[in-house]
């Protein structure tokens, strides 16, 4: 068992500790085509006990576990101000506000259906308890893409034909042709997990995640500043924006912050055996190890770190902290690993019930298999932020009005995340990243994490001198 696992007890004693609430990062998937509308009654899921625990820890204890979610938190505040006192259902006879969703939702390699499921759950919550948009229900038109530019273009055409006011994002590796069609139509692409540069640079794209750039910048800054590493090894998938993010926003930043040597080792995107590349990185005797592995590479990465008895701090993207990967590897073998997330663990530091409401909504309206502590948080956040924007501009707003509203934001409250500003100047070279800030957490036990970073890591500020 490596040193980075043995010292965890001493570190945890100094940090706020909570059950995980919102682990997100870059994941790569593949899927096939499907489209449809969302709107019907939600399903019960989970147990009241787990929600009670998360809510009490966050500082907002519900009056009961029954009835509408928003009525369980009297006098609470959330990202949109004071929480409504009573639930209100959207008028089913009112003209719907049409919203699209594009992402890789199914497929044989590593689909993440939870991104679409979380969006559907948010829409159900909005229509059932928040009155939709000024009384008008949101109607969601979803289209699943694959790892092909053609499927991205097809889905963009499909949702545009549905006359949507905006498109919510899941994850879309080959998004370029689809983004180009949205730009041509003037329709905003809101949120999701940005992987490609098309999503991170488009003037029609508004993202509430730091993507690959945010993750590697946070890891690099922590290794340089807190760990005071002089040599850092980076092992990452040899694919487009992931590789560029690791080098440009990770390695170059660390060298500017005083790291004397950065050793970079790549592996194929679909690799399931990471022992060799990690061993090659360890041969350089680094003071810290950053792993750019995600999705089906998560378990192999965690297994390799444990088998090789790595005795330096290990950083891994937050998607790999999903319970399915930890269960597969064994929590004991992953203790001490540092992950990036895009929300605070300890909600007492902000006067907001967002996290507690999110978990309660997933229990009340989400499908049984929706993991509320995984990548679903980012797509739920995007849906809630879009709803808040539509509430401001009105149910009859056109796409160009929505675009202008987002572009004018400055320190706008973000659902369960860092306030966002979409002026295109937050992240050097990546104007669509409205809130790239990160938090780093350390796994200290089953479903328990401790913050390692001192609050938010402002990666935009760190990178402003590039």
């Amino acid at each position: 068992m490596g040193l980075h696992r043995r010292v965890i007890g001493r570190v945890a004693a100094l940090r706020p500790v909570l059950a995980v609430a919102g682990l997100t990062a870059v994941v790569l998937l593949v899927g096939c085509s499907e489209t449809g509308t969302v709107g019907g009654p939600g399903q019960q899921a989970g147990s009241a006990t787990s929600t009670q625990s998360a809510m009490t820890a966050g500082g907002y204890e519900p009056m009961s576990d029954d009835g509408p979610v928003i009525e369980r938190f009297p006098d609470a505040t959330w990202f949109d101000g004071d929480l409504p006192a009573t639930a209100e259902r959207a008028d089913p006879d009112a003209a719907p506000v049409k919203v699209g969703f594009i992402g890789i939702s199914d497929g044989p390699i590593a689909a993440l259906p939870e991104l679409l499921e979380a969006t559907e759950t948010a829409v159900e919550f909005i229509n059932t308890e928040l009155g939709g948009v000024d009384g008008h229900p949101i109607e969601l038109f979803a289209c699943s893409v694959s790892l092909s530019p053609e499927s991205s273009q097809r889905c963009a055409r499909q949702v545009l034909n549905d006359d949507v006011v905006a498109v919510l994002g899941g994850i879309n590796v080959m998004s370029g042709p689809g983004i180009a069609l949205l730009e041509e139509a003037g329709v905003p692409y809101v949120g999701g997990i940005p992987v490609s540069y098309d999503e991170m640079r488009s003037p029609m794209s508004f993202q509430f995640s730091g993507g690959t750039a945010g993750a590697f910048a946070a890891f690099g800054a922590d290794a340089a500043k807190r760990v005071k590493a002089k040599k850092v090894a980076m092992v990452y998938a040899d694919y487009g924006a992931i590789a560029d993010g690791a080098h440009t926003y990770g390695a170059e930043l660390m060298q500017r912050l005083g790291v004397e040597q950065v050793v970079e080792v790549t592996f194929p995107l679909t690799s399931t055996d990471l022992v060799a590349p990690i061993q090659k990185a360890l041969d350089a005797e680094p003071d810290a190890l950053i792993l750019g592995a995600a999705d089906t590479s998560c378990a192999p990465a965690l297994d390799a770190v444990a088998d090789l008895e790595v005795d330096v701090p290990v950083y891994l993207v937050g998607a790999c902290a999903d319970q399915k990967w930890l269960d597969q590897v064994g929590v004991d073998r992953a203790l001490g690993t540092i992950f990036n997330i895009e929300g605070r663990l300890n909600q007492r530091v902000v006067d907001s019930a967002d996290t507690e409401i999110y978990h309660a909504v997933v229990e009340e309206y989400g499908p049984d298999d929706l993991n509320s502590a995984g990548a679903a948080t980012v797509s739920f956040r995007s849906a809630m932020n879009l709803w808040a924007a539509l509430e401001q501009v009105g149910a009859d707003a056109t796409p160009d009005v929505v675009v202008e509203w987002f572009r004018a934001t400055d320190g706008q409250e973000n659902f369960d995340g860092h306030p966002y500003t979409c002026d295109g100047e937050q992240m050097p070279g990546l104007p669509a990243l409205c809130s790239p800030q990160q938090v780093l957490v350390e796994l200290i036990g089953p479903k328990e994490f401790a913050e390692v970073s001192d609050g938010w890591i402002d990666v935009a500020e760190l990178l402003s001198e590039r």
Side-chain angles (χ1 to χ4, degrees), residues 152-235:
S152 177
Q153 191 173 56
R154 172 187 53 77
C155 273
R157 285 200 182 100
Q158 198 160 302
V159 296
L160 288 173
N161 287 339
D162 291 321
D163 198 25
V164 298
V165 69
V167 177
L168 289 165
I171 184 168
N172 188 0
V173 178
M174 301 294 182
S175 62
I179 294 292
L181 286 178
L182 295 182
E183 287 182 4
E184 183 179 338
V187 173
Y189 183 76
V190 181
I193 300 177
V195 176
S196 74
Y197 279 131
D198 302 286
E199 297 165 297
M200 292 186 272
R201 290 174 175 165
S202 170
M204 291 294 164
S205 180
F206 304 97
Q207 300 293 320
F208 313 112
S209 168
T212 49
F216 284 114
F219 293 156
D222 189 70
K225 293 185 172 184
R226 185 180 64 87
V227 177
K228 301 188 184 306
K230 292 303 179 184
K231 183 187 294 184
V232 176
M234 302 180 69
V235 181

Side-chain angles (χ1 to χ4, degrees), residues 384-396:
M384 295 306 298
N385 285 345
L386 177 59
W387 166 78
L390 292 171
E391 280 282 278
Q392 293 293 316
V393 299
D396 59 351

Side-chain angles (χ1 to χ4, degrees), residues 79 406 408-414 418-423 426 434:
F79 82 116
F406 275 112
T409 55
D410 184 3
Q412 184 70 29
E413 290 301 318
N414 187 358
H418 191 280
Y420 66 87
T421 299
C422 296
D423 60 1
Q426 300 309 296
C434 303

Side-chain angles (χ1 to χ4, degrees), residues 215-416:
F216 284 114
F219 293 156
D222 189 70
K225 293 185 172 184
R226 185 180 64 87
V227 177
K228 301 188 184 306
K230 292 303 179 184
K231 183 187 294 184
V232 176
M234 302 180 69
V235 181
Y236 53 85
D238 188 11
Y239 176 84
I242 294 178
D244 192 56
H247 180 76
T248 304
Y249 297 96
E252 291 183 6
L253 173 65
M254 284 189 283
Q255 290 170 339
R256 183 162 59 80
L257 294 177
V259 175
E260 296 174 359
Q261 183 180 358
V262 179
V263 178
E264 300 181 55
V265 180
T266 63
F267 61 87
L269 179 63
T270 57
S271 178
T272 57
D273 184 357
L274 300 187
V275 172
I278 291 177
Q279 181 60 67
K280 183 177 179 180
L282 295 175
D283 288 343
E285 299 183 350
D287 302 312
L289 175 65
I290 297 174
L291 299 178
D295 204 65
T296 52
S297 296
C298 290
L302 289 166
D303 274 332
V305 168
D307 291 341
L308 294 172
E309 299 185 342
V310 178
D311 61 356
V312 297
V314 175
Y315 300 87
L316 191 56
V317 296
C320 292
D322 192 292
Q323 196 59 40
K324 64 186 175 187
W325 304 125
L326 298 180
D327 288 344
Q328 182 175 332
V329 172
V331 172
D332 290 345
R333 287 167 58 81
L335 291 177
T337 306
I338 299 171
F339 301 93
N340 71 302
I341 64 174
E342 291 169 334
R344 295 299 303 274
L345 282 186
N346 190 346
Q347 285 298 300
R348 292 185 179 89
V349 302
V350 289
D351 186 21
S352 172
D354 289 5
T355 301
E356 293 86 351
I357 290 170
Y358 166 68
H359 286 284
V361 168
V362 169
E363 273 198 7
E364 187 71 23
Y365 298 107
D368 292 337
D369 59 351
L370 179 56
N371 177 11
S372 64
T377 55
V378 73
S379 51
F380 191 95
R381 172 185 297 130
S382 301
M384 295 306 298
N385 285 345
L386 177 59
W387 166 78
L390 292 171
E391 280 282 278
Q392 293 293 316
V393 299
D396 59 351
T398 57
D400 61 304
V401 171
V402 178
V403 168
E404 290 307 313
W405 188 90
F406 275 112
R407 285 179 179 165
T409 55
D410 184 3
Q412 184 70 29
E413 290 301 318
N414 187 358
F415 183 85
D416 201 21

Side-chain angles (χ1 to χ4, degrees), residues 49-62:
T49 303
S50 61
T51 302
Q52 175 74 24
S53 174
M55 291 173 182
T56 303
Y60 283 96
E61 185 172 352

